[in-house]
Amino acid sequence: MSDPSTPYRPRCKNLFCKAMLVYGEGFENDPDYQAGMAEFWCVRTSKGQGPDGDGVSMTECTNSERGCYEAY
């Protein structure tokens, strides 16, 4: 489960992982996601890199300074 003390940070709408496809917005309840085993990809590139060439992760894709960022 998500930590209630962690503030919500909007993520890029192009960020996906399998848990998001299976669990929807409750993806943080997926045991694989909780164990840190989720692999993220960018919908725009279908890779583990965004259109700007930087990596894709929950942390990296909450950075609104990225040129490819689109708020969810």
Side-chain angles (χ1 to χ4, degrees):
M1 257 191 258
S2 63
D3 181 0
S5 65
T6 304
Y8 174 74
R9 290 181 61 191
R11 67 177 187 269
C12 181
K13 71 178 188 177
N14 297 306
L15 175 69
F16 270 89
C17 69
K18 181 180 175 186
M20 290 176 177
L21 296 174
V22 174
Y23 290 88
E25 282 306 299
F27 69 94
E28 292 175 327
N29 295 322
D30 178 9
D32 285 341
Y33 178 80
Q34 291 179 4
M37 296 173 35
E39 288 190 40
F40 291 95
W41 68 87
C42 176
V43 172
R44 290 178 63 189
T45 62
S46 300
K47 298 179 183 178
Q49 288 181 306
D52 60 359
D54 286 343
V56 175
S57 72
M58 187 60 79
T59 303
E60 292 176 289
C61 294
T62 58
N63 180 1
S64 61
E65 299 291 315
R66 289 180 75 166
C68 55
Y69 177 85
E70 295 180 54
Y72 179 75

